[in-house]
């Protein structure tokens, strides 16, 4: 009888232990799982310039960076189209550097842009010391708007 | 990171459920032994096994609930199409309300982010750890989004 009672107590203890582990792990996971996002919009204010060469073409532009209605900085973007990339792939390399309004806050996004639908994907490839949170962050979006998951 | 935690959690839960099942089998075996020996079986008062079953069911419900919370807490996948406006996850609002250096706190309290404000905060911002820097920007972006911080663009004379 004592044996049965011991087993029951052991079982109840294990149940409590399991519940405690689940709660702790869930809390830890919830804390670390928050993916903050930052969505920025681009407004071109310079002339979109295309430079053709034997290998492909450059496309350059720049303008303002908005967060909502606020101008938080400026961007400079260059796209590289290579004739080596077949039309079926139809993608160009893209690099966007965001220069913040003040101080030395900058970060650069690198990735690809689809010429088919304009979608862009990539990651933050460089960031100033003030933007370490952006290191290794991915982004996705369109020509005029992208979201960084940091 | 989340995948690894999820796998670890699943393994632990699986192990615990397996242990629970083993315990039940052990109890059943013991009951069978006692019955065969014509000894009074404690299941004559079936409260204990019912309690165990209830606890097990409750634990399973809690697990399912917590798993749902984990999925929700994981937020949007990286390649999800972005929304049209600036988004700071509302779930992390509490995390963004924290204190930084006096210079930063004072600057943010003033509510105006002009070139001077950015420059004044920079020395302290660049010293931050990645996590602290993330919290700082979440607070700044959240403040801009809510209209608590006003961003003043610089003089726009072209270079």
């Amino acid at each position: 009888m004592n044996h049965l009672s011991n087993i029951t107590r052991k079982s109840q203890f294990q149940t409590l232990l399991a519940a405690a582990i689940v709660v702790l792990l869930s809390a830890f996971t919830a804390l670390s799982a928050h993916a903050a996002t930052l969505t920025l919009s681009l407004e071109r204010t310079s002339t979109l310039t295309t430079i053709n060469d034997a290998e492909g073409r450059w496309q350059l532009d720049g303008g303002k960076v908005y967060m909502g209605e606020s101008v938080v900085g400026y961007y400079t973007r260059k796209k590289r189209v290579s004739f080596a990339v077949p039309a079926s792939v139809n993608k160009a390399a893209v690099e966007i550097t965001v220069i913040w309004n003040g101080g030395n806050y900058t970060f650069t996004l690198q990735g690809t842009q689809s010429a088919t639908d304009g979608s862009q994907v990539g990651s933050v490839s460089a960031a100033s010391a003030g933007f370490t949170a952006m290191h290794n962050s991915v982004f996705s979006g369109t020509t005029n708007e992208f979201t960084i998951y940091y | 990171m989340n995948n690894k935690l999820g796998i670890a959690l699943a393994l632990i839960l699986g192990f615990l459920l397996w242990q629970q099942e083993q315990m039940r089998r052990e109890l059943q075996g013991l009951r069978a032994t006692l019955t065969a020996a014509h000894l009074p079986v404690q299941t004559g008062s079936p409260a204990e096994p019912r309690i165990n079953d209830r606890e097990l069911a409750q634990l399973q419900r809690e697990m399912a609930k917590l798993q749902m919370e984990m999925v929700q807490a994981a937020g949007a996948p990286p390649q999800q199409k972005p929304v049209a406006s600036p988004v700071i996850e509302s779930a992390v609002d509490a995390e963004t309300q924290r204190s930084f250096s006096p210079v930063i706190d004072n600057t943010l309290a003033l509510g105006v982010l002009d070139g001077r404000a950015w420059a004044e905060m920079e020395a302290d911002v660049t010293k931050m750890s990645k996590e602290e820097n993330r919290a700082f920007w979440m607070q700044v972006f959240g403040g801009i989004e809510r209209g608590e911080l006003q961003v003043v663009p610089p003089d726009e004379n072209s270079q």
Side-chain angles (χ1 to χ4, degrees):
Chain A
M1 210 56 59
N2 282 339
H3 185 58
L4 187 65
S5 180
N6 283 341
I7 289 175
T8 305
R9 274 202 297 272
K10 195 175 169 186
S11 173
Q12 286 172 342
F13 171 73
Q14 283 190 333
T15 304
L16 286 172
L17 183 66
I21 290 172
V22 167
V23 169
L24 282 173
L25 279 173
S26 298
F28 178 73
T29 305
L31 282 174
S32 61
H34 291 146
T37 60
L38 169 65
T39 299
L40 298 173
S41 304
L42 307 181
E43 181 196 8
R44 182 185 300 144
T45 56
S46 66
T47 304
L48 178 65
T49 302
T50 302
I51 304 164
N52 293 309
D53 56 42
E55 199 277 335
R57 67 176 62 94
W58 291 101
Q59 205 165 47
L60 313 167
D61 71 324
K64 294 179 182 176
V65 177
Y66 285 85
M67 186 183 164
E69 301 295 319
S70 304
V71 178
V72 293
Y74 302 87
Y75 77 94
T76 172
R77 171 166 52 191
K78 58 186 179 190
K79 280 185 275 187
R80 178 66 190 176
V81 177
S82 173
F83 296 146
V85 179
S88 57
V89 175
N90 209 21
K91 282 184 177 141
V94 64
E95 182 184 296
I96 306 166
T97 295
V98 173
I99 303 163
W100 217 243
N101 260 345
N104 292 308
Y105 306 91
T106 67
F107 57 87
T108 298
L109 310 165
Q110 282 187 309
T112 59
Q113 181 175 37
S114 167
T116 306
D117 60 9
S119 63
Q120 294 184 127
V121 292
S123 66
V124 175
S125 60
S128 65
F131 265 125
T132 51
M134 299 294 179
H135 286 166
N136 302 320
S137 301
V138 296
F139 79 94
S140 62
T142 62
T143 304
N144 298 323
E145 186 178 278
F146 57 82
T147 298
I148 302 170
Y149 303 84
Y150 66 99
Chain B
M1 180 71 176
N2 292 339
N3 288 342
K4 285 178 183 174
L5 277 171
I7 291 167
L9 185 61
L11 285 172
I12 290 169
L13 292 178
F15 173 73
L16 289 168
L17 285 172
W18 174 80
Q19 260 198 330
Q20 190 82 20
E21 185 60 28
Q22 292 296 107
M23 295 292 292
R24 291 179 65 187
R25 284 182 186 175
E26 198 176 342
L27 274 170
Q28 281 174 356
L30 190 61
R31 274 186 221 120
T33 308
L34 289 170
T35 305
H38 300 288
L39 291 170
V41 183
Q42 198 168 0
T43 52
S45 62
E48 283 182 351
R50 281 183 189 167
I51 287 171
N52 285 339
D53 288 343
R54 194 166 62 233
E55 284 175 348
L56 183 62
Q58 189 177 351
L59 183 62
Q60 285 170 337
R61 279 197 300 275
E62 284 175 4
M63 287 172 188
K65 188 181 168 189
L66 288 166
Q67 281 171 344
M68 284 289 293
E69 288 174 359
M70 282 170 58
V71 170
Q72 287 170 357
Q79 297 303 326
Q80 193 177 23
K81 190 178 178 182
V83 293
S85 61
V87 174
I88 307 297
E89 299 260 338
S90 58
V92 294
D93 280 351
E95 194 182 329
T96 64
Q97 302 304 319
R98 57 182 286 178
S99 183
F100 301 99
S101 70
V103 173
I104 291 174
D105 288 343
N106 291 339
T107 305
L108 295 180
L110 289 173
V112 178
L113 297 175
D114 54 11
R116 183 178 171 183
W118 290 118
E120 282 177 352
M121 291 191 291
E122 189 175 354
D124 292 333
V125 173
T126 55
K127 289 176 191 166
M128 291 175 174
S129 66
K130 186 174 180 179
E131 277 309 307
E132 197 179 8
N133 187 255
R134 182 171 178 266
F136 167 75
W137 285 111
M138 284 167 71
Q139 185 157 321
V140 170
F141 296 151
I144 294 171
E145 185 190 21
R146 292 188 295 270
E148 295 166 4
L149 295 174
Q150 184 192 356
V151 181
V152 180
D155 189 8
E156 300 221 339
N157 292 324
S158 296
Q159 292 179 4

